[in-house]
Amino acid sequence: MTHAQPSEAQEQRAAARARMVAEIAAMARDTGAETGRPRFGDAVMAAMGKVPRHRFVPALEDIFAYDNRPLPIGEGQTISQPYIVALMTDLLDPKSADTVLEVGTGSGYQAAVLAELVAKVTTIEIVEPLARRARQVLGELGYRNVEVRVGDGYGGWPAAAPFDAIIVTAAPAAVPQPLIDQLKPGGRMVIPVGGPSDVQQLLLVEKQLDGRTTTRRTLPVRFVPLTGDRGRKQ
Ligand code: SAM
């Protein structure tokens, strides 16, 4: 059997991804005292080293795809900084049998990273053209365990609930109660909270077996606001 040799372009992208992963590891060390995660799990870092971020950014941004920073994806939205994607993924403690809800599909990149680690990802996007594009790219890359839905993620996705983990990648003014309700006992939610002009906080919300929640602040962050009728209300 013959194996196709990787092209020069593929090798360059693999090298750029490896550099990005090294930068993520360095940032994790630098922020470890605040986040409680000075070293991200091997499986999370392997997923960051595998998912082709260049497929999730517009052609004009291709050369920046492996820079450790957010990039525009159209419709006034962004693909998050790779370090933040890795941090949020690591905070979720993803397990291979988990079902995960993402609110804010955007490009679909975060969903792809999660899809490398868990059994099923349901992701909701309020901007229809972004959802369509993300669904197409995820399909082309063979991610069969991701379902992209169009809608207001404030209300979660009751039909697929409860979830082992929930990740929110746009900032509401407060943690949406429907998302807490759709988290399994023992489940974890990672969510930025705060107004667009405030310093937002990246929160880790854990639901105890008795249904009560504990919340821990990790880092100050800057996300686009959660839109829709309910996201901005306190
Ligand atoms: N996770 C994305 C990725 O990997 O590219 C980045 C998400 S981007 C920072 C935030 C996304 O949340 C935007 O695409 C925005 O349209 C979406 N969004 C904002 N409010 C929403 C809502 N109420 N329900 C669902 N999606 C929402």
Side-chain angles (χ1 to χ4, degrees), residues 8-183:
E8 199 178 327
Q10 282 170 325
E11 282 177 354
Q12 281 170 358
R13 291 197 195 284
R17 254 194 317 274
R19 282 194 296 276
M20 180 190 82
V21 169
E23 280 178 40
I24 292 169
M27 273 191 88
R29 276 194 299 278
D30 291 347
T31 53
E34 283 169 279
T35 63
R37 301 283 169 127
R39 187 177 185 280
F40 300 155
D42 292 342
V44 171
M45 292 302 257
M48 296 302 297
K50 180 172 175 197
V51 177
R53 192 173 188 248
H54 64 278
R55 294 293 309 274
F56 294 90
V57 302
L60 268 175
E61 304 294 337
D62 183 286
I63 56 166
F64 307 119
Y66 295 103
D67 287 3
N68 185 24
R69 62 184 169 99
L71 294 170
I73 55 169
E75 310 288 337
Q77 301 300 329
T78 52
I79 180 173
S80 303
Q81 180 188 15
Y83 159 74
I84 290 289
V85 173
L87 171 65
M88 292 176 80
T89 307
D90 199 72
L91 287 168
L92 287 180
D93 278 346
K95 314 239 174 1
S96 57
D98 282 356
T99 57
V100 178
L101 174 69
E102 180 190 27
V103 176
T105 313
S107 66
Y109 176 69
Q110 172 75 74
V113 170
L114 286 166
E116 293 284 344
L117 298 163
V118 303
K120 176 80 202 275
V121 181
T122 303
T123 179
I124 311 176
E125 172 56 54
I126 203 164
V127 178
E128 210 265 337
L130 290 179
R132 215 180 321 122
R133 167 91 189 122
R135 193 181 288 127
Q136 185 189 329
V137 174
L138 289 162
E140 286 169 4
L141 292 173
Y143 287 106
R144 306 272 171 258
N145 58 342
V146 183
E147 190 172 358
V148 181
R149 297 280 186 168
V150 179
D152 181 352
Y154 184 96
W157 200 263
F163 300 97
D164 297 288
I166 297 179
I167 182 168
V168 183
T169 62
V175 180
Q177 185 62 41
L179 299 186
I180 294 174
D181 296 342
Q182 289 172 35
L183 200 54

Side-chain angles (χ1 to χ4, degrees), residues 1-7 10:
M1 198 162 79
T2 56
H3 292 281
Q5 293 296 313
S7 69
Q10 282 170 325

